[in-house]
Amino acid sequence: MLKQYLQFKLSQKLSPQQIQLMKLIQLPTQAFEQRLKQELEENPALEGGKEANENDLDSDFDNSDDEYNDSETIDANEINVDEYLSDDEIPDYRTQANNYSSDDEDKTMPYAAGTSFTQHLVNQLNTYRLNDEERDIAEFLVGSVDESGYIRRELSDIMDDLAFTQNVYTTEKDIERVLKIVHQLDPAGVGARDLQECLSIQLHRKDKTADTELATNIIDNAFDKFTKKHYKKLLQKFDISEIQLKDAINEIEHLNPKPGGSYAGNNRIVEHVVPDFAIKIVDGELELTLNGRNAPELHVSREYNNMLKGYKDTKDKSKSQKDAVLFIKQKLDAAKWFIEAIRQRQQTLFVTMSAIMHYQKDYFLTGDERNLKPMILKDIADEISMDVSTVSRVANSKYVDTPYGTKLIKEFFSESMKNDQGEDVSTREIKKILETVIEEENKKKPLTDETLASILKEKGYPIARRTVAKYREQLDIPVARLRKKI
């Protein structure tokens, strides 16, 4: 039996303008400048710098009584329509395929100049005498090296790929033989298949000394004991003193676990942190400023405004001229909207950061992380009557220059827990104390998580051992056994 139901569903959809505004808010200073430059290039109705008469910058987008609506006639002599409908002015959406979702971002990645890491390795292969097949295998192996300098694929898979993609039929034994040649390339350790092989390659290339020979022996024959810091077992296995073991470990610690990262010409992203805000202490009070690069001077082109005004009070009509009017109106509306969006972006950034600054006033005045108050996104969102997602966009991608260094804003947010006095304290404060306790511990006998929990309890922070373990992992601090030193 068929039944019919009537269901009402309330949903809220963001307009394209609102989505674009959210994206603008999310952009850090440098990415914002790129977006601004792109808009100025694409929209001739938008211009940089101040305009003599700012009254033309009307940000009202209600076109209901717009004096330049489509029904108006145009004087053909007022404007050269073809000039404004040239290929150079065709909107991007007419010439580009839309293969992106609405959430995709256009990111420009600046790369370090110079020869790529792969090309650097290929160039070195030219100094070796290889036959055609060996060269094909060697270049394929070099092409399989990741950004850390490792080949993380099984030789059997590489053998199959060589056959299918390069038409090179070989054996795992031959690939292994050519791989030994790749291991001779610089930087030392490149082409290794795991950390043990990477360290071993580097040690075998060092000058022979008692320390390097012992270090090589440890890596080649007792790697598992070394990684687990079973020092007593190493002392017994090699019949050596603590001093000898300490010197050998010192040799190992000076090796490079990521040889690919040491090459200056590698295609790694060059990140330059540009603070979006600055906080200064002036006469004992906090002063917040927005980076001036986030507040560009923009105005609508007077020339484009005059074009539309020239169409008024004319009697002649033509399809191409109507198209020209529509095109110019779209550009003007887009320019007005973009200027308004920039203004809203500036206001949102400043209001959000101002609320964070006042919420964490004690920290910004002292620089002591123990003065960071528990603060979640909702606290700031409620304070400034904005959505949590808006605060998140500001916090996750923006930096602030403080008297204590440049900080990522999201670092000021943390959950809370109660101390033994029943007061709310920041988990960030607890992590800082935990970090300090671990730094000051005796490295010969590192403190276990259970011991750390007891110490924190004595300091007034009653947290469980599993919570200590969670905070320690978040701080990227290994377990006690792995912190042990000779």
Side-chain angles (χ1 to χ4, degrees):
M1 180 178 178
L2 295 175
K3 291 185 179 181
Q4 288 185 325
Y5 294 94
L6 184 62
Q7 182 180 15
F8 291 96
K9 185 176 180 182
L10 183 63
S11 63
Q12 182 181 18
K13 289 187 177 180
L14 293 174
S15 68
Q17 287 83 359
Q18 288 173 310
I19 294 172
Q20 289 297 319
L21 177 59
M22 290 298 102
K23 288 187 175 183
L24 283 175
I25 290 172
Q26 186 171 327
L27 294 176
T29 297
Q30 284 189 306
F32 169 69
E33 286 182 325
Q34 290 294 321
R35 176 68 181 85
L36 178 65
K37 181 181 177 183
Q38 177 188 352
E39 191 71 20
L40 284 168
E41 289 174 350
E42 293 179 357
N43 190 349
L46 181 69
E47 295 180 352
K50 275 188 177 179
E51 192 189 19
N53 184 1
E54 305 243 344
N55 292 330
D56 289 340
L57 304 185
D58 181 13
S59 61
D60 184 2
F61 298 105
D62 182 5
N63 292 324
S64 59
D65 58 352
D66 193 336
E67 61 178 348
Y68 311 122
N69 59 50
D70 296 341
S71 64
E72 290 181 326
T73 54
I74 308 153
D75 184 354
N77 295 322
E78 286 287 339
I79 186 170
N80 183 347
V81 174
D82 293 335
E83 181 182 342
Y84 294 98
L85 287 179
S86 66
D87 290 340
D88 291 338
E89 298 295 352
I90 294 176
D92 284 351
Y93 64 82
R94 298 280 299 278
T95 59
Q96 295 179 359
N98 181 14
N99 295 326
Y100 304 95
S101 71
S102 59
D103 291 329
D104 281 346
E105 296 180 17
D106 182 18
K107 296 182 179 178
T108 301
M109 298 293 191
Y111 287 103
T115 309
S116 70
F117 184 36
T118 302
Q119 189 59 48
H120 171 66
L121 298 176
V122 170
N123 290 344
Q124 292 180 67
L125 288 176
N126 294 332
T127 64
Y128 290 84
R129 184 172 293 174
L130 304 171
N131 60 39
D132 290 344
E133 181 178 300
E134 288 172 337
R135 178 164 293 279
D136 288 340
I137 295 172
E139 290 185 356
F140 193 85
L141 288 171
V142 162
S144 301
V145 173
D146 65 17
E147 61 183 10
S148 297
Y150 288 81
I151 294 177
R152 304 184 192 272
R153 303 182 63 205
E154 296 294 331
L155 294 187
S156 57
D157 293 336
I158 291 175
M159 181 181 70
D160 291 340
D161 277 358
L162 279 165
F164 289 128
T165 65
Q166 307 297 314
N167 204 28
V168 174
Y169 297 92
T170 185
T171 64
E172 288 186 39
K173 185 177 179 181
D174 286 337
I175 295 174
E176 181 94 43
R177 180 171 51 80
V178 176
L179 183 59
K180 297 297 182 186
I181 297 173
V182 173
H183 288 167
Q184 297 175 36
L185 304 179
D186 289 324
V190 72
R193 287 161 287 183
D194 53 42
L195 178 60
Q196 181 180 11
E197 187 172 47
C198 178
L199 299 178
S200 178
I201 291 169
Q202 294 178 60
L203 286 168
H204 279 285
R205 288 173 64 170
K206 291 176 78 74
D207 294 334
K208 290 279 189 278
T209 65
D211 293 338
T212 57
E213 286 193 3
L214 177 57
T216 304
N217 208 356
I218 290 172
I219 294 300
D220 288 346
N221 303 308
F223 186 71
D224 188 57
K225 293 183 177 63
F226 167 73
T227 55
K228 293 178 179 178
K229 297 200 173 183
H230 290 159
Y231 295 138
K232 287 184 179 179
K233 292 181 179 179
L234 290 175
L235 292 172
Q236 293 171 357
K237 179 177 177 64
F238 297 105
D239 191 21
I240 52 176
S241 67
E242 282 193 3
I243 294 176
Q244 288 175 303
L245 179 58
K246 189 174 182 179
D247 290 341
I249 290 174
N250 185 55
E251 284 284 344
I252 296 171
E253 287 178 343
H254 281 81
L255 301 176
N256 186 357
K258 292 184 178 181
S262 65
Y263 178 63
N266 198 358
N267 278 352
R268 292 168 293 161
I269 297 171
V270 180
E271 295 184 20
H272 301 285
V273 174
V274 177
D276 303 88
F277 308 91
I279 292 178
K280 295 180 181 178
I281 302 174
V282 180
D283 297 330
E285 292 296 323
L286 297 174
E287 183 180 278
L288 174 67
T289 54
L290 177 65
N291 189 326
R293 291 158 67 173
N294 287 289
E297 293 179 346
L298 299 171
H299 66 270
V300 173
S301 167
R302 184 182 296 276
E303 182 182 356
Y304 262 59
N305 264 324
N306 290 339
M307 285 180 197
L308 289 183
K309 289 177 183 177
Y311 295 144
K312 197 175 181 182
D313 300 328
T314 59
K315 296 178 181 180
D316 297 332
K317 295 181 181 179
S318 93
K319 176 68 169 61
S320 61
Q321 289 167 339
K322 274 191 174 184
D323 289 341
V325 173
L326 180 60
F327 170 75
I328 295 172
K329 259 181 59 59
Q330 287 173 342
K331 291 297 184 183
L332 283 170
D333 288 343
K336 289 177 181 179
W337 171 82
F338 193 74
I339 292 169
E340 176 63 16
I342 296 302
R343 186 191 65 77
Q344 290 184 38
R345 178 182 184 273
Q346 293 169 16
Q347 183 180 12
T348 301
L349 294 185
F350 193 85
V351 167
T352 305
M353 189 62 225
S354 181
I356 293 171
M357 181 182 73
H358 287 102
Y359 203 101
Q360 300 291 5
K361 184 176 181 180
D362 291 342
Y363 164 75
F364 286 115
L365 286 172
T366 63
D368 189 343
E369 290 191 2
R370 290 172 294 184
N371 288 334
L372 277 172
K373 293 167 61 178
M375 179 177 73
I376 58 175
L377 295 172
K378 191 174 185 303
D379 293 330
I380 300 302
D382 291 344
E383 181 78 21
I384 61 178
S385 300
M386 288 188 183
D387 194 83
V388 170
S389 63
T390 302
V391 178
S392 175
R393 284 181 170 87
V394 175
N396 287 333
S397 59
K398 306 291 186 299
Y399 288 84
V400 58
D401 183 31
T402 75
Y404 325 106
T406 300
K407 310 284 185 182
L408 184 60
I409 294 171
K410 73 175 182 181
E411 293 178 0
F412 304 130
F413 289 84
S414 64
E415 299 286 343
S416 66
M417 66 161 291
K418 295 188 180 297
N419 61 14
D420 57 359
Q421 303 296 318
E423 302 169 334
D424 283 335
V425 294
S426 168
T427 54
R428 182 73 182 273
E429 176 183 336
I430 299 172
K431 288 178 185 177
K432 185 64 179 177
I433 294 170
L434 176 62
E435 194 173 23
T436 303
V437 170
I438 292 175
E439 283 176 0
E440 296 174 351
E441 71 184 358
N442 179 0
K443 295 303 178 185
K444 288 191 174 183
K445 294 182 179 179
L447 302 171
T448 63
D449 290 342
E450 193 168 345
T451 306
L452 290 169
S454 300
I455 293 173
L456 287 172
K457 187 174 183 180
E458 291 172 6
K459 291 180 177 289
Y461 305 97
I463 59 177
R465 183 203 60 78
R466 63 179 178 275
T467 307
V468 169
K470 182 178 77 172
Y471 290 169
R472 176 180 53 70
E473 289 171 1
Q474 289 174 352
L475 290 167
D476 202 21
I477 297 173
V479 295
R481 176 171 50 79
L482 297 181
R483 300 198 305 272
K484 187 177 181 181
K485 292 186 177 180
I486 293 290

